[in-house]
Amino acid sequence: MPDSMILKYLKQHVNHFASTALLVITASSIHAQTFGGNPPAIYWRQIITPAAKIIFPQGMDSTALRVASILQQMDNTVRPTLGDKQKQVSIVLQNQTTETNGYVGLAPFRSEFYLTPQQNSLELGGIPWPEMLAVHEFRHVQQYNNFNIGIIKLLSLIYGESGQAIGNEWIIPDWFFEGDAVYNETLVSKQGRGRLPYFYRDYRALWAAHKNYSWMKLRNGSYVDYVPSHYPLGYMLVAYGREKYGDYFWRNVTHEAASFESGFYPIQKAIKTYSGKDYEEFREDALTYFKEQFKDRQPELAANPKQHFIADEEFPAYIDDNALVYLRSAYNHIPVFVIKTGDSERQISTRGLSIDRQFAYRDGKIVYSGYRPDARWGYRNYNEIRVLDINTGKEKAITSKTKYFSPDISPDAKTIAAVQVETSGKSNLHVIDADNGTLLTAIPNPGNLFYTFPKFCGNGNLITAVRNPAGEMAIAQVDIITGRHTYLTLFSWHPIAYLAVQTDTVYFTAASDKDDKLYALSIKDKKLFSLNSEVMQNGIGNYQPAISANKVTWVGFTAYGSQIQQANKKALQWKEADDNIFSSPLSTFNINSLNKNVASDLLNKINDTTGISASQISKYNKGHNLFNFHSLIPDISDPNFTLSLRGENVLNTFQSDLYFNYNSNEGYKQVGFDATYGALFPYLSAGVDYIFDRRRIRNGNHIYWNELNLHGGLQVPLNFSRGKNITGVNFGSDLYYTQSTYETTYTALNRNFIYLNNYATFSTRIQQARQHIYPHFGQSFTFIYKSGLSLSANQFLASGTFYLPGIKANDNLIITTAYQQHGKDDVIGFSNNFPFSRGYTAENLYQLYKAGANYHFPIAYPDAGVGNTVYLLRIRGNAFYEYTRGIDFYNDGSKFKANFRSAGMAVFFDTKFFNQQSLSFGIRYSRLLDDDYFGGTGRNRIELVLPVSFF
C-alpha cells in the first residue's frame, strides 16, 4: 500500500545517521514496524476465526467484527485461485496513526491495518478503508500460506520465517504479490484500483511520451526518470493472465516457480509452460492489451525524447489573475512553495513534514496539514494545521496533537475548515480560528459520512465530497451553523476529489469511463458541465483545479511530473452533462473476468450477521507468546559477524535475540541472549553473554581473557520531529556485571566488576530529495560514558557528524569528529567504539582524537542491468581525509604518541538485485599517511565496503 517518503524517513532511527553507505539485504515483506509504538493505556481485544485472529483496541468492536466477517466469508471463495493451504494470521488494527497503509509481513507472520483513510478517493476508491484492507491484505496472507513449498519451504525450515521471506522475494516477484492483491480487491468490489483511471495514469504517461523503458528499468526504477511502481505493472500482468488463461493460471505458474522445478528464472519458465509464450512476449502482450485502450496525445514536453523527470507541480492557487502559488517537488530538491508570475518563479519556503500534500491559499496565507509524530509512541502521530505567510516566509502551527486533513481558509481569512478523523474512524468537519486554531464549530455527522476536500462557499457554507458507509460518493453543501447537508449530486461509485469553489460554481475531478475528468457544477440549479479544451490533452487526467476571475488552472500528469496547465474560461468547452453520467458501473478496462467469477462483487454480499458475533470478542493478553522465536538470521556488519535466533511478539512490544557473534577487531567469540520490552515509557532491557578470547595491549603485547556479562537497563527513545526538521533523542543506561578470567600468565588481573554504560544520542536534519545522498543540513551527536562501580575504570566517547550541502545540488560535505579517553590506570578495559581513521588497524588507546571530512557526489546514473539479476541505478563517489591522534602509556610511564592520517577515494554502487532488493556496496582506496603501528604493512589499502544484513 502507498506510503509517504516522509514516513519512511521517520521510521528510520532518527537519533543517528550513518556517515558511510550501509548495505542491507532485506525482504520487503519484513515491514519496518514501530517497536513498542502503542501507549500502555490501550486495552486490546480479539476475535478468533480459523483464518485470522483480529486484535484491536477496545472501542473498535464494530470495525473488527466487519473485518472478521469479510475474511471468514471471503476466504474459501477466493483462496482456491492460489491454493488450498490456510494458516492463521494475527491482524492488528492500528487506530492511532494518520497513515493510510497496511501490510502483511513475515518474521514474524502478522498483519497491521493502519485505519485512517486518505482524502484522495481517485487513488484508492471510496470503499470503507478497513474493508479495502481486508480484501487486499488478506490476499497477501493467502499468498504466503500457499507459496511455502519447494525450495522456499527448505529455506523456511533452515532459517524460519525470514527464510520464507527471502525465498518469496527471490522467486515470486513483487509485481505478482501486489498485482494479484489489486486484482482481488477489484474482483470482490464495485471499485478496486483496477477499475480506477488514476491507477493507469503512470503507464499512460509513459506510453504517450513514447518512453520505451527496458523491462529492468520498469522493475527497478530510476533516479532521473519517472518510473511507475510495481502495483500497476503487476495488476496489468496478473489481470491479463486471468483474462486470457483462466482463474487458475497464476496458481499453476506460482506453484511451479515456488517449487523451483525448472531451475533458474523459475517464474519466467513457468509462464512459458502455462501460456505457451516466453516471458518477454507475455509481458509485451499484457502491456499492449492495456495500452490499446488509451489514445493519449503526446505531450509537448515529449518533443525532446531524452528529457528526464522535471518536477511535480501540485495544487496551484491563484494569488491574482496573473500569479500562481503551488508546491514544487523535484528529484534534486525537497518540496518547496513557489510563486509564479508570468515566466518568473520565486521560491517562498520549503514545505514542512507532511503526508497530506494538499494546501490552500488565501490573502497571503498558505495553510496545510503538517505531520508530527508522538514524542514516544511510534504508532501515534498527528496532522497539525500550519500557516505560512508568503510575504515574510514565517510559519507557525496553530493546532497541536490534532488529526486534521485537507484544510481550506475562508474568504475573509478568519477561519479554517478541515476534516478531522477520530481514532474510531469517524470523520467530522471542524471550523477553527485561523489565528490561534481554537475550535469554533464541530459540524454534526449523522449520516456517518467520510468527508474529503472541504471548501468554503462564502463564509457560511462548505462544499465537500463525501463517501457514504457503502463507499459511494457525492458532493454535499453543508451549512456551518445548522449542520444541514444538501446533496448537489447523486451518490455513485465514481470517485470524486479535488474540489474548488468560485462564487456559485464547484469545480472538481471525477472518474468517468477511462479518464479522470474535470467538471463544473452550478450550486443554484445543480447543472453539471464537463470541461474540455485542446490544452487538456497535454497530460493524463485533469486534477486540482484552481479558478480566477478569467482563468482555469489544473494539473495534468506526464512522464516528466505533474504539470500545471492553464486556459481562459471562455476557451473551455462547457458541455452540459446529465447527473446520471455517474450512474454507470466503473470500467473494467476490458478485463471481463472481473464480472464472470463467483467472487465478483462479493464484498457487497457479506452478511455481518453470518458466522461472527459480538459474543466472540474476548480480551487479548498483552503477554501472549512474548518470545515467539521466528527466524535464524545471519548478519554481517563488519567487524561483527553474527548468527541470531530472533523473536518478537505480535504486538511488537517484546524482542528477544539468542546469538553467536565473532568480532574481527578483537578476534573474540561471543554467545548471548538479549531481550527488550518496549511497552512502557522507557524500554526495559536485559541480557547475558559470554565472550571468549578478548584482547588488549599491555606493555606493548596482546593479552587475552574470557568474559561473562550480565546486564539490565533503561532506554528512552524520543521523536521530536515537527515542522521542517526530523529530530530524535535517545538516552539510557545499562548496568553490567562482568567477570573477567585472564590467561594463565595474567591471572592476577582476574576481576569481577560492575559498571554503568550511559549513553545519549541526538540528531536533527531536514528532509532529503530523491537524488540526495545525505540530508543537506543536519547533525548528530553520540555520547557514551562507561564507569566502573566496583573497580576503578572509565571510558568516555563523544562523536559528532555534521551534514552540509556540497557544490552541486546532490553533493554533500560531511564533517566528522570524535574523542575517546579511558582511565590511565584502569584495571579493566572496555570495548572500543572509536571510529578510527580508515585503513588502519584500530586499537583502544588511552586517548584518541579524530577529525575527518567526506565529500560525497554522484558520478553517473546508468539505469542499466544484466540478465534480470543486477541493476545499477547510481554510481557515486566519496573523497575523504581523516586525522586521528592517539596517546597511550607504557608501564614504565613513558608516553606513546602517534598520528594516524589517511586520505582516499571510494566508489559506491547503488544497485538492485533480482529486480527487488536494494543493495549498495563500495570499493575504497585508503592511502595511509602515517605508519600502521598495530598491523598491516605498506601505505596502501583497498577494501570492499560490504556491511550486509542477509535478512
Side-chain angles (χ1 to χ4, degrees), residues 579-845:
D579 192 35
N580 292 325
I581 190 173
F582 300 131
S583 62
S584 60
L586 290 165
S587 175
T588 65
F589 296 89
N590 210 25
I591 301 299
N592 298 313
S593 60
L594 291 170
N595 299 323
K596 297 178 180 178
N597 193 288
V598 66
S600 297
D601 196 24
L602 180 62
L603 186 59
N604 288 299
K605 304 169 187 175
I606 298 296
N607 188 342
D608 288 346
T609 64
T610 302
I612 303 293
S613 68
S615 63
Q616 292 177 250
I617 297 176
S618 61
K619 177 183 177 181
Y620 181 80
N621 188 343
K622 294 181 182 181
H624 175 71
N625 197 12
L626 275 181
F627 288 92
N628 191 29
F629 289 110
H630 55 75
S631 300
L632 186 66
I633 300 190
D635 180 82
I636 301 173
S637 185
D638 191 32
N640 293 302
F641 300 77
T642 307
L643 186 66
S644 299
L645 181 62
R646 297 276 176 86
E648 183 179 306
N649 66 330
V650 168
L651 288 182
N652 199 14
T653 57
F654 187 79
Q655 293 177 342
S656 49
D657 190 7
L658 182 64
Y659 62 90
F660 170 82
N661 178 58
Y662 173 74
N663 181 282
S664 61
N665 268 1
E666 297 188 25
Y668 64 71
K669 285 76 67 180
Q670 180 183 24
V671 293
F673 174 78
D674 288 323
T676 304
Y677 184 65
L680 303 177
F681 186 80
Y683 292 171
L684 306 179
S685 61
V688 57
D689 65 79
Y690 194 83
I691 302 175
F692 303 85
D693 300 325
R694 282 199 65 188
R695 75 180 186 213
R696 64 178 293 196
I697 288 181
R698 183 179 175 85
N699 296 330
N701 298 311
H702 281 116
I703 62 173
Y704 294 85
W705 74 97
N706 298 335
E707 190 172 284
L708 170 68
N709 292 294
L710 300 171
H711 68 87
L714 303 174
Q715 178 186 353
V716 180
L718 298 173
N719 189 341
F720 295 118
S721 300
R722 193 182 188 190
K724 300 176 183 179
N725 295 312
I726 301 171
T727 303
V729 175
N730 183 35
F731 61 91
S733 182
D734 297 303
L735 180 66
Y736 280 81
Y737 168 78
T738 297
Q739 182 182 79
S740 300
T741 307
Y742 281 78
E743 58 188 332
T744 305
T745 308
Y746 296 97
T747 55
L749 298 177
N750 289 352
R751 293 286 188 273
N752 298 333
F753 58 92
I754 301 172
Y755 72 92
L756 278 173
N757 177 49
N758 306 297
Y759 56 89
T761 62
F762 168 81
S763 70
T764 185
R765 64 175 172 117
I766 63 171
Q767 304 169 63
Q768 281 179 244
R770 180 179 180 84
Q771 292 179 347
H772 290 175
I773 300 171
Y774 295 104
H776 277 188
F777 290 100
Q779 50 273 329
S780 66
F781 304 96
T782 299
F783 305 94
I784 302 174
Y785 180 65
K786 300 176 182 181
S787 174
L789 298 181
S790 59
L791 293 172
S792 175
N794 64 82
Q795 182 171 283
F796 174 73
L797 169 67
S799 63
T801 304
F802 303 88
Y803 297 82
L804 300 167
I807 297 172
K808 295 184 178 179
N810 296 318
D811 295 359
N812 273 97
L813 174 63
I814 299 177
I815 306 298
T816 59
T817 61
Y819 170 78
Q820 180 173 286
Q821 180 176 316
H822 61 69
K824 184 177 179 181
D825 299 316
D826 284 356
V827 294
I828 58 174
F830 294 110
S831 59
N832 181 14
N833 295 306
F834 186 83
F836 221 83
S837 294
R838 277 170 273 190
Y840 288 95
T841 304
E843 285 293 346
N844 191 356
L845 303 179

Side-chain angles (χ1 to χ4, degrees), residues 204-268:
R204 291 176 64 180
L206 295 190
W207 296 332
H210 302 293
K211 293 281 190 179
N212 298 314
Y213 295 148
S214 69
W215 174 250
M216 289 198 72
K217 185 164 182 172
L218 290 176
R219 290 290 289 113
N220 294 285
S222 171
Y223 280 108
V224 292
D225 290 308
Y226 179 78
V227 178
S229 77
H230 55 284
Y231 282 76
L233 175 65
Y235 175 77
M236 288 187 287
L237 297 179
V238 169
Y240 177 80
R242 293 278 290 257
E243 181 72 14
K244 293 298 182 182
Y245 305 106
D247 287 335
Y248 291 89
F249 171 71
W250 289 110
R251 171 175 174 160
N252 295 331
V253 167
T254 53
H255 278 232
E256 179 176 307
S259 299
F260 215 65
E261 296 175 4
S262 54
F264 289 104
Y265 301 108
I267 196 79
Q268 292 91 324

Side-chain angles (χ1 to χ4, degrees), residues 436-457:
N436 57 32
T438 301
L439 177 62
L440 302 176
T441 305
I443 300 174
N445 180 10
N448 196 23
L449 301 169
F450 188 83
Y451 300 99
T452 63
F453 299 108
K455 295 292 178 182
F456 278 96
C457 181

Side-chain angles (χ1 to χ4, degrees), residues 902-943:
S902 64
M905 290 284 298
V907 178
F908 290 96
F909 303 90
D910 296 326
T911 71
K912 282 193 177 180
F913 273 62
F914 304 109
N915 294 323
Q916 291 185 195
Q917 301 301 334
S918 296
L919 188 155
S920 296
F921 63 92
I923 299 173
R924 182 169 64 214
Y925 166 73
S926 302
R927 172 66 179 176
L928 307 190
L929 306 180
D930 300 293
D931 292 333
D932 188 357
Y933 289 94
F934 307 112
T937 59
R939 295 294 183 94
N940 300 309
R941 300 283 191 272
I942 297 179
E943 301 166 279

Side-chain angles (χ1 to χ4, degrees), residues 11 24 110 153 230 270 305 329 391 514 585 596 600 700 840 852:
K11 283 178 180 176
V24 177
R110 68 171 168 214
K153 181 68 173 180
H230 55 284
S329 306
N391 297 310
K514 297 180 181 180
K596 297 178 180 178
S600 297
Y840 288 95

